[in-house]
Each structure stands twice: as structure tokens, then as C-alpha cells.
């Protein structure tokens, strides 16, 4: 396994309001409108997000999450939408924030912040997002990813261990393994 495949790119932080979070940033060689579709279009999301997400793209709108073999179908609520710059929604007790910044006409900075309901989920969720964002990186390069669950738990476990070794809070149950 390459070092890149097990790299820990997320940052554990405490937000101004005191809530714990993990944050990831990427730069994609696509205009902001294209990256917005990666975040909001159910078919685009299916290539990298852990669940299929069908959403009413408006504040207060419902999101239905399905298709994750380790989690039951569930719903969330859209918290804020500012196309094509910001989307935030509730998911499994956490808040996910997607912020997109046009760097020029061709590139976009993508930032995902997972605001955590519990600090001990940081290492687990961070490792999960690493796997998912690797699939998004592949999609953004115009390649066909195997999906966020490709590679199974082996890659996730190695990344999780890197988060734990870095002192990121851990200990939460892992769906599908606990």
C-alpha cells in the first residue's frame, strides 16, 4: 500500500463555538459549478459519499440517505445552501459543511468540515472521509472510482490507526465491525 493511500490529510480542531470537528481541504482543477455537482447531485455523490443522498436543496429540506451496507436508511435536514459556495446538512447526529471557493475560472478549493456530535468519533470519521475523498479525487481527475467502499476495511483501518497515533480522539463504535 502506498504512503499516499494511507495519508492522514484531515485536521482535528475545535470550532469557535466549542464543537469538535475534522476538516479536509482539496483543490480541484474544475470550475466551482462542476465541483458543486460533486456535492449536490445524487449520482455524482454516489461515486464518493458513503450513502446515496437524495436531497431537497433548500434550507429545511429533507435528505434521504440509503445504500450504505453498514448503516440503516436515514434522513437528515439541510441547514444552509448558498449555491455554488456552501451546503451544510445534518447526518447521523453530525453536521457536514461543504465550502467551495473559486480560485480562478478553472480551479476550486473544496473544504469539508465534519462537525462532530461526539469527540471520540474524530479518528473513525476522519479515516472514513479519507477513503471517501480518495474516491472523489479519482472522480475529479476524470477516472472512474471503485466507490467509497472499495478497498474494504483494510485501507480504512490503516488510516484510522494513523489518526489514533496522531492523538486524534478515538474510541467510538465502528458500524459494520462492532
Amino acid at each position: 500500500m502506498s504512503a499516499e493511500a494511507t495519508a492522514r490529510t484531515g485536521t482535528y480542531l475545535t470550532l469557535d463555538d466549542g464543537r469538535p470537528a475534522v476538516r479536509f481541504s482539496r483543490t480541484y482543477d474544475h470550475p466551482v459549478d462542476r465541483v458543486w455537482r460533486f456535492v449536490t447531485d445524487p449520482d455524482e455523490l454516489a461515486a464518493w459519499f458513503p450513502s446515496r443522498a437524495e436531497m431537497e436543496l433548500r434550507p429545511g429540506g429533507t435528505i434521504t440517505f440509503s445504500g450504505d451496507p453498514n448503516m440503516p436508511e436515514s434522513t437528515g435536514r439541510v441547514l444552509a445552501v448558498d449555491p455554488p459556495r456552501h451546503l451544510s446538512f445534518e447526518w447521523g447526529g453530525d453536521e457536514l459543511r461543504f465550502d467551495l471557493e473559486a480560485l480562478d475560472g478553472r480551479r476550486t478549493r473544496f473544504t469539508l468540515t465534519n462537525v462532530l456530535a461526539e469527540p471520540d468519533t474524530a479518528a473513525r470519521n476522519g479515516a472514513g472521509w479519507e477513503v471517501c475523498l480518495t474516491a472523489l479525487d479519482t472522480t475529479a481527475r476524470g477516472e472512474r472510482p471503485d466507490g467509497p467502499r472499495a478497498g474494504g476495511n483494510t485501507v480504512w483501518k490503516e488510516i484510522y490507526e494513523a489518526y489514533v497515533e496522531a492523538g486524534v480522539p478515538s474510541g467510538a463504535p465502528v458500524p459494520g465491525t462492532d
Side-chain angles (χ1 to χ4, degrees):
M1 170 134 331
S2 71
E4 181 181 296
T6 58
R8 184 180 63 83
T9 64
T11 302
Y12 177 72
L13 65 149
T14 301
L15 301 178
D16 290 344
D17 64 10
R19 294 186 296 167
V22 287
R23 179 172 289 153
F24 303 85
S25 185
R26 302 283 199 272
T27 299
Y28 293 118
D29 292 327
H30 294 287
V32 70
D33 288 337
R34 175 66 185 109
V35 178
W36 181 250
R37 288 194 310 272
F38 289 148
V39 173
T40 59
D41 180 277
D43 293 328
E44 298 274 358
L45 276 165
W48 69 273
F49 196 78
S51 300
R52 181 162 181 86
E54 302 271 350
M55 65 184 85
E56 297 174 74
L57 206 53
R58 60 174 178 74
T62 299
I63 304 178
T64 302
F65 302 101
S66 62
D68 183 332
N70 298 313
M71 300 290 290
E73 185 170 306
S74 64
T75 59
R77 185 172 54 91
V78 174
L79 301 172
V81 182
D82 181 15
R85 290 179 292 281
H86 176 80
L87 171 66
S88 58
F89 56 82
E90 296 173 343
W91 184 47
D94 287 356
E95 178 184 333
L96 296 183
R97 299 177 181 172
F98 298 91
D99 291 291
L100 308 180
E101 177 188 355
L103 300 176
D104 54 36
R106 300 177 317 272
R107 296 180 320 129
T108 301
R109 179 175 295 120
F110 165 100
T111 303
L112 164 60
T113 304
N114 180 179
V115 184
L116 305 165
E118 298 296 331
D120 72 351
T121 62
R124 178 193 72 192
N125 291 17
W129 288 121
E130 297 284 2
V131 172
C132 293
L133 291 173
T134 296
L136 177 56
D137 297 345
T138 301
T139 299
R141 287 192 306 267
E143 301 168 13
R144 186 171 174 86
D146 294 325
R149 290 167 291 283
N153 288 331
T154 304
V155 172
W156 175 88
K157 188 169 177 33
E158 289 178 15
I159 299 169
Y160 175 76
E161 289 168 358
Y163 272 85
V164 172
E165 288 172 18
V168 174
S170 62
V174 178
T177 64
D178 291 346

